[in-house]
Amino acid sequence: MSHSTRYRIIAAFAVLFAFFLVPPLFAQTSVADQTLFNAANHDRATAGLPALKWDAVLAAAAHQHALKMAQMNQLSHQFAGEPAIPDRARQAGARFSTIAENVAQGPTAAGIHSQWMNSPPHRANLLDPELNSIGISVVQSGNMLFAVEDFSNAVPSLSLEEQEHQVAAQLERHGLQVTAGSSEARKTCEMDRNWVGPKPAAVLRYEMSDISRLPDEVYERIGSGKFHSSTVGACNASGTSSEFTRFRIAILLF
């Protein structure tokens, strides 16, 4: 018997214009955990997909839920009084833009993996190209195994300076002169409208979980040829209690 669930972030954007190698698992993993991890990446390799990376934080979150399933002797993605999977993962320290979960019970780890691969929603999680990390926990109760797989699209932990330099590098590749991390740009980032400092021709504010690329709206503006320089500021994303990891950026175009 098995269940699956999935959550996903939706990026927000606002504009103001003024003019398979298996990595070693951490020490506490069981043989059943390793069996499921290897099976997942074997099937991903067969499908031509990159291997999932082991995430000890997700595994810790999965373990707490697997213990609860074993104690309750039933499957669920959320028991009464228990946080939902995005909150469980975030509270454990995970940073992600997408999260998904498979749960199951069965007498063997191999049999549980077979259940998942023969169930379309569970198989979809295992073979999702947008997911890159996994944490697994299997808890035994009597002759039954209770298994949890938590998947995510992991988001790196970046300082404000690192965020600003990533965005600045992308803007420079499009021919703009860029000043990163100015106090005016950071203060502007914290505002919902207007700006601090010299009047820009345009202010672009956005929140995304992946800042290795610029939003399409930014590409459109800088591709217009109307701007020659910019400043970039990063700040804490709004809604700090959000389940999903986001970066907030302000770009002032001149």
Side-chain angles (χ1 to χ4, degrees), residues 1-3 69 75 102-106 112-113 115-116 122 144-149:
M1 182 180 297
S2 58
H3 294 166
M69 291 197 309
L75 297 182
N102 286 347
V103 300
Q105 65 184 85
I112 286 172
H113 181 72
Q115 285 185 54
W116 282 334
H122 300 87
M144 190 63 63
L145 300 179
F146 291 84
V148 178
E149 287 183 331

Side-chain angles (χ1 to χ4, degrees), residues 13-19 192-195 200-205 251:
F13 183 91
V15 184
L16 169 67
F17 292 108
F19 163 117
D192 290 329
R193 56 184 304 170
N194 297 322
W195 57 87
V203 178
L204 313 179
R205 294 184 181 90
I251 301 174

Side-chain angles (χ1 to χ4, degrees), residues 6-17:
R6 182 181 182 85
Y7 296 77
R8 184 182 297 274
I9 188 174
I10 299 175
F13 183 91
V15 184
L16 169 67
F17 292 108

Side-chain angles (χ1 to χ4, degrees), residues 30-179:
S30 68
V31 172
D33 298 340
Q34 181 78 63
T35 296
L36 290 176
F37 180 69
N38 291 344
N41 278 334
H42 176 271
D43 286 340
R44 286 177 68 90
T46 300
L49 298 170
L52 295 166
K53 297 179 181 179
W54 181 262
D55 189 317
V57 172
L58 286 179
H63 184 63
Q64 292 303 310
H65 188 61
L67 283 173
K68 189 169 288 291
M69 291 197 309
Q71 291 165 0
M72 302 294 290
N73 194 33
Q74 69 180 82
L75 297 182
S76 177
H77 289 290
Q78 184 179 13
F79 292 100
E82 182 188 33
I85 172 58
D87 292 312
R88 295 200 304 268
R90 181 174 53 82
Q91 290 168 9
R95 297 169 58 85
F96 51 88
S97 62
T98 305
I99 194 157
E101 182 173 82
N102 286 347
V103 300
Q105 65 184 85
T108 68
I112 286 172
H113 181 72
S114 180
Q115 285 185 54
W116 282 334
M117 287 300 290
N118 285 288
S119 165
H122 300 87
R123 181 185 178 91
N125 284 340
L126 282 156
L127 301 183
D128 190 330
E130 295 184 13
L131 298 172
N132 57 27
S133 301
I134 190 172
I136 302 170
S137 182
V138 180
V139 172
Q140 184 165 357
S141 179
N143 294 322
M144 190 63 63
L145 300 179
F146 291 84
V148 178
E149 287 183 331
D150 286 344
F151 308 83
S152 79
N153 183 359
V155 174
S157 178
L158 300 173
S159 68
L160 296 182
E161 291 81 5
E162 289 171 328
Q163 296 172 41
E164 290 160 350
H165 284 298
Q166 277 204 28
V167 174
Q170 296 169 74
L171 294 171
E172 287 171 344
R173 286 196 291 270
H174 285 78
L176 289 178
Q177 297 179 0
V178 185
T179 300

